[in-house]
Amino acid sequence: MRDRPAGRIGSLDGLRGIAAAVVLVHHAFLTVPPLSKSNYGLAVPDSLLWLTNSPLHVIWAGREAVFVFFVLSGFVLTLPSLRRTQDWIAYFPSRAVRLYLPVTASLLVALALYVLVPRTTDPHQALWVNAHDQTLGLRELFDDFTLISPTLLNSPLWSLTWEVVFSVIVPLFVSVAAVTVQRWWVTAIVGVLVSALGEYLHVPWLIYLPMFLIGSALAAGWERIREVPRGLGWGLLVASLLGISSPAWFPPPFSHPAVVQVVVLASSFTVVLLAGKWMPAERFLLGPVPRTLGRISFSLYLTHEPIAVSLANLLPVTWSPWLTVVVTIPLAIGMAFLFARFVELPAHRLAKAIAKRISTQRVGTPV
């Protein structure tokens, strides 16, 4: 087995980049009227079933990509705390700055686009685009900027609500991971089953918070997990991609929401595991494209959706339903580079500086 550094796992950055790209493609595809119907459980034309009811759905499985993000967050926030003593007093304000500064900036961008490009309802537009034709008042803006209940001004922010909740209670998750380190896989299974129960009961916190627990459990067992053999890795990769492609298109009883949840979360767990413990996946994710996407992944996630909606309202759908897709993807990536350079990176530096200052003051060391 290879010796591994105890620091940052670079291949997970690449995985985060790929997941962000999938979310981008997801929202770009939802500007196509026929594909948008699938987002609402409606039938799509037979000519497009290969994109919705087949394993190729993995390239735009946006909801499932967010689940991968949640598992990753549980992992990357838990692992350092298991390896060393965490200064939680310094962690909380640092984490708040790390999340809320980029979120606030992304909402200002979204608000500017909302004012410059009026959202309209048009029978020729995609249902998803029409859903963004909403009135924003002070209450809605408050919910957006606090992440209490984000509106469709920048719809991907719904997931940041759960990131914030997890960030507040992460010491509890770290404690559970530390206590169950010898049986970490049991904790992971419990996380999958509890999330499936939440899906069955339609209880949001029961659906999403256990996903972070799955990542925390994986962090607890990380040093005990051996390198995945090459042959087994290929089999696990195929199985996990099939699972993340959303088995909702499988025949009953496999299409039951609770069963789908189990399959998707088990697949998300496997993808994260392979990203760090299987050499072919590591090599790919450490390549230039995944690593570059990884560096801008948070910025891409925060800024792409208002761009897609604005373009869908600007470009006549009668020209070509795919025109918005073609324009959105490169424009969103370009915007993400700018946002990462001028917003996310400074916010990250400020967050680290705040944590360092609080920690040094608490131990009585001169700043």
Side-chain angles (χ1 to χ4, degrees):
M1 186 170 64
R2 291 181 296 124
D3 293 330
R4 292 174 177 276
R8 190 178 185 90
I9 304 172
S11 55
L12 296 186
D13 291 330
L15 177 59
R16 189 180 290 106
I18 296 297
V22 170
V23 175
L24 165 62
V25 174
H26 172 76
H27 286 129
F29 277 16
L30 288 183
T31 65
V32 179
L35 286 180
S36 180
K37 293 180 179 179
S38 68
N39 201 52
Y40 300 92
L42 302 176
V44 301
D46 292 344
S47 60
L48 291 176
L49 288 178
W50 62 279
L51 272 176
T52 58
N53 291 25
S54 83
L56 285 177
H57 185 255
V58 73
I59 67 174
W60 64 296
R63 184 170 185 264
E64 292 76 13
V66 172
F67 292 177
V68 172
F69 276 129
F70 287 165
V71 175
L72 269 173
S73 289
F75 179 87
V76 299
L77 289 184
T78 300
L79 188 62
S81 300
L82 293 175
R83 288 175 168 174
R84 63 176 185 271
T85 301
Q86 178 70 269
D87 184 349
W88 295 113
I89 301 300
Y91 160 81
F92 288 114
S94 173
R95 183 66 175 167
V97 169
R98 178 74 176 87
L99 290 176
Y100 273 99
L101 275 185
V103 164
T104 299
S106 74
L107 281 168
L108 292 175
V109 172
L111 192 58
L113 289 174
Y114 175 87
V115 173
L116 293 172
V117 185
R119 278 48 173 147
T120 60
T121 300
D122 188 318
H124 297 293
Q125 286 184 158
L127 295 175
W128 180 77
V129 176
N130 285 340
H132 288 74
D133 182 11
Q134 59 177 352
T135 301
L136 293 176
L138 291 179
R139 175 58 187 271
E140 288 77 16
L141 291 175
F142 176 82
D143 289 345
D144 277 323
F145 280 92
T146 58
L147 294 175
I148 290 176
S149 181
T151 68
L152 292 181
L153 176 63
N154 191 359
S155 65
L157 295 189
W158 72 267
S159 68
L160 271 296
T161 298
W162 298 107
E163 290 279 358
V164 169
V165 173
F166 171 63
S167 296
V168 171
I169 62 175
V170 66
L172 173 62
F173 282 65
V174 172
S175 298
V176 171
V179 169
T180 62
V181 67
Q182 299 295 331
R183 295 289 185 270
W184 64 269
W185 50 273
V186 175
T187 305
I189 292 173
V190 168
V192 171
L193 295 179
V194 171
S195 181
L197 176 63
E199 184 70 32
Y200 178 75
L201 297 175
H202 304 292
V203 180
W205 68 267
L206 207 56
I207 296 173
Y208 300 117
L209 290 182
M211 298 182 189
F212 298 97
L213 180 63
I214 297 168
S216 295
L218 182 58
W222 195 249
E223 305 300 338
R224 293 170 169 77
I225 301 174
R226 296 186 177 184
E227 183 79 13
V228 177
R230 183 177 295 269
L232 176 61
W234 285 111
L236 290 175
L237 177 65
V238 171
S240 60
L241 291 181
L242 284 173
I244 289 180
S245 71
S246 184
W249 48 267
F250 286 1
F254 303 105
S255 59
H256 188 282
V259 176
V260 169
Q261 193 76 351
V262 170
V263 172
V264 171
L265 290 181
S267 300
S268 300
F269 169 91
T270 304
V271 164
V272 176
L273 173 65
L274 291 175
K277 293 290 185 177
W278 185 48
M279 180 64 75
E282 289 183 84
R283 278 201 297 260
F284 170 75
L285 293 171
L286 288 171
V289 173
R291 287 297 295 271
T292 299
L293 288 172
R295 285 193 293 270
I296 64 168
S297 58
F298 191 39
S299 295
L300 182 61
Y301 188 81
L302 289 178
T303 60
H304 74 277
E305 194 257 16
I307 293 173
V309 175
S310 298
L311 288 172
N313 279 275
L314 277 173
L315 302 174
V317 72
T318 52
W319 288 2
S320 170
W322 294 94
L323 181 59
T324 301
V325 176
V326 173
V327 178
T328 292
I329 292 176
L331 192 60
I333 292 174
M335 177 63 184
F337 274 106
L338 293 174
F339 194 88
R341 171 65 178 84
F342 295 105
V343 177
E344 184 188 353
L345 184 58
H348 196 186
R349 289 172 176 164
L350 178 60
K352 291 177 67 175
I354 289 173
K356 182 178 180 180
R357 184 176 184 86
I358 294 175
S359 294
T360 54
Q361 286 180 339
R362 292 185 66 236
V363 298
T365 303
V367 178

